[in-house]
Amino acid sequence: MKKILFFCSMVMFIFFFAGCKKSTPSEDYKCTSCKTTPDALPENNNISKGVYKGVVIGSTGTIQFNIANGSSTINAVMVLDGVTVNLTSDITWHAGSAYIAPFNGTYNGGPISVHFYVNADGSNPQVVTSNIPGHPSAVFIIEKEQSNFLIECFEGTYSSTAPETGTFNLLVARALGLMGGASRKTGSAVNEDIDGTVSSDGTLYIDSQAVGKIVNDTMSGSFKDHNNATVTFQGKRTL
């Protein structure tokens, strides 16, 4: 199985782990619309066909691309600030080639576009540009789901005694023991990348330090940053 690399290196969060304390999230929440097994098909694992899932920062949301996974259908569904947007593309998939295409739709009564790219072997999926009125600094963090591991998307928030608040979104592949994502301070247009691991019991680690836990479809955690401020995050699975 091809190993996937989750996201960029840490920018600020690499300094955040001098005094982590565990936090136990509520077990009550269940994402009833979320899948419990992968949508991706085995024959698409190492090609550009397939399923790609991601989180959006700016404001917050999720996105899922279907690139001819089991049929000729090519589309995407984005949920941004709770609003569902159906996106379509008329660019045909071709075997042995990278796939790049604009996906178009309507958001809050106006046209939007999201340009998607992935290498021929399914690696390096990304949104290269987007035009979403009201969200000029939206950033998409995308991973390819494969038939032997499910990609889960969590949307959350954080607060700090600095004081500071913001968005805290994660992608998790529990079968691989990997997680990653991004945070963004409220009012900022700059992301802080998150890269780490998740243990079999749902404990989240960054730089080998426990920073929180996933219980069923809920995540939470609390830790000290490099300024000795307490950073607390929480969120729920939405895709």
Side-chain angles (χ1 to χ4, degrees):
M1 178 187 69
K2 179 182 63 179
K3 182 179 179 181
I4 65 170
L5 297 177
F6 261 67
F7 322 117
C8 305
S9 60
M10 292 293 293
V11 179
M12 287 177 62
F13 279 88
I14 198 170
F15 300 105
F16 278 4
F17 316 112
C20 171
K21 63 179 181 179
K22 293 184 179 179
S23 176
T24 303
S26 167
E27 299 182 29
D28 295 336
Y29 170 76
K30 177 67 177 177
C31 178
T32 57
S33 62
C34 294
K35 298 295 183 68
T36 57
T37 58
D39 290 309
L41 300 176
E43 58 266 30
N44 297 333
N45 282 349
N46 298 304
I47 61 177
S48 53
K49 271 187 180 181
V51 175
Y52 300 84
K53 296 179 180 178
V55 291
V56 186
I57 295 281
S59 295
T60 184
T62 61
I63 193 164
Q64 177 171 325
F65 292 92
N66 169 29
I67 311 299
N69 185 62
S71 72
S72 60
T73 300
I74 295 177
N75 59 15
V77 178
M78 179 174 66
V79 180
L80 187 60
D81 293 341
V83 178
T84 299
V85 185
N86 294 305
L87 303 168
T88 59
S89 179
D90 57 4
I91 304 300
T92 303
W93 179 84
H94 295 285
S97 299
Y99 185 78
I100 182 167
F103 285 74
N104 301 306
T106 302
Y107 176 68
N108 287 340
I112 65 170
S113 64
V114 175
H115 282 68
F116 176 78
Y117 172 85
V118 63
N119 289 335
D121 63 357
S123 64
N124 195 32
Q126 58 186 291
V127 170
V128 291
T129 62
S130 65
N131 181 12
I132 307 173
H135 302 269
S137 58
V139 171
F140 298 75
I141 302 163
I142 310 291
E143 283 296 331
K144 181 180 176 71
E145 184 174 272
Q146 297 199 11
S147 61
N148 55 346
F149 63 83
L150 177 71
I151 296 291
E152 301 173 70
C153 300
F154 289 78
E155 293 182 75
T157 58
Y158 77 90
S159 62
S160 167
T161 56
E164 184 176 305
T165 62
T167 303
F168 192 100
N169 291 352
L170 293 183
L171 296 181
V172 177
R174 300 194 209 202
L176 297 181
L178 295 173
M179 69 88 174
S183 69
R184 181 182 289 188
K185 178 181 177 181
T186 301
S188 174
V190 179
N191 292 343
E192 302 294 344
D193 296 313
I194 305 167
D195 187 18
T197 60
V198 57
S199 67
S200 59
D201 70 351
T203 302
L204 301 170
Y205 293 89
I206 303 177
D207 196 32
S208 300
Q209 299 295 316
V211 299
K213 194 167 186 177
I214 293 174
V215 176
N216 295 327
D217 290 338
T218 308
M219 68 174 181
S220 68
S222 183
F223 52 89
K224 296 284 189 179
D225 69 11
H226 64 293
N227 290 319
N228 206 38
T230 299
V231 178
T232 302
F233 69 90
Q234 60 183 356
K236 297 177 180 180
R237 184 182 174 200
T238 55
L239 178 63

